[in-house]
Amino acid sequence: MILYLQLFWEFFKTGLFAVGGGMATIPFLYNMADATGWFTRNDVANMIAVGESTPGPIGVNMATYVGYVTGSGEGGLPFAILGAVVATLGLITPSVIVILIIASFLKAFRNNRYVDSAFYGLRPASTGLIAAAGLSVVAANLLDLEATFGLDFFNIKGIILAVVLWVLTNKVKQTKRLHPILFILASAAVGVALGM
């Protein structure tokens, strides 16, 4: 029972402070990985890859995944499902509470300049969280931070794949207009084939 309360609390904090969408939850997940040991930083990179390629918001997908994996350690499928539900509820509860509060005072907030200023001020924080998430994903996939500086420091396969994707999506006219899901599927296939 303590594990489920802890799952709820960790994801409640994430949902409360991760302003800017699912990608803004990634720095919180790295912190959670270090603090709880439920998953590794490498697992976060895998969660991002799976979360981006599955339907639904990435933050909710990752909360569900972490809850499922953490709960399954308690004794099987029912515990895994309970963990997934608890973590997901923890993540979305702050948003639901805020929406209910705002909806009840909507007329008072609608033209309030202080509220407008607060939301305007949150934009840079949200941008910073998303940028930090992007940089951490790049570092996790293109660099080996545990290796000593040198050629081993760089993930050559990952860098080649990133360059090829950039060229295909930005420079080659025939592939430039293809749907992004095709590049996601192709990248997943290459990653599996090369063991990345």
Side-chain angles (χ1 to χ4, degrees):
M1 187 64 176
I2 298 292
L3 173 69
Y4 299 108
L5 290 173
Q6 190 179 7
L7 263 173
F8 184 87
W9 175 244
E10 290 296 328
F11 280 101
F12 183 88
K13 291 187 301 187
T14 301
L16 186 61
F17 296 112
V19 178
M23 293 303 276
T25 65
I26 293 171
F28 293 95
L29 288 172
Y30 281 124
N31 186 43
M32 194 183 305
D34 295 339
T36 65
W38 291 334
F39 50 92
T40 65
R41 287 177 165 259
N42 192 40
D43 290 337
V44 174
N46 292 333
M47 284 188 272
I48 293 166
V50 171
E52 285 288 341
S53 60
T54 55
I58 187 169
V60 172
N61 289 348
M62 289 192 288
T64 304
Y65 174 79
V66 170
Y68 184 86
V69 170
T70 305
S72 66
E74 293 293 300
L77 186 61
F79 295 100
I81 292 171
L82 179 61
V85 170
V86 167
T88 304
L89 286 174
L91 185 74
I92 66 170
T93 299
S95 299
V96 170
I97 292 170
V98 169
I99 288 169
L100 290 173
I101 291 169
I102 289 175
S104 66
F105 296 105
L106 185 60
K107 288 186 180 179
F109 283 130
R110 185 172 292 176
N111 297 318
N112 188 318
R113 68 180 184 167
Y114 297 111
V115 172
D116 279 345
S117 297
F119 279 112
Y120 185 77
L122 284 173
R123 289 180 190 157
S126 174
T127 303
L129 285 171
I130 293 169
L135 290 174
S136 62
V137 169
V138 168
N141 290 296
L142 301 183
L143 304 174
D144 184 0
L145 300 176
E146 295 175 3
T148 58
F149 194 75
L151 199 52
D152 292 340
F153 184 70
F154 300 99
N155 178 355
I156 302 300
K157 292 183 218 176
I159 292 171
I160 291 170
L161 179 60
V163 169
V164 167
L165 281 172
W166 182 82
V167 168
L168 290 175
T169 57
N170 291 292
K171 298 296 180 188
V172 179
K173 286 183 183 181
Q174 294 84 354
T175 58
K176 199 172 174 178
R177 296 181 185 181
L178 291 176
H179 197 278
I181 193 70
L182 296 174
F183 292 106
I184 292 171
L185 292 173
S187 297
V190 170
V192 169
L194 296 178
M196 297 171 54

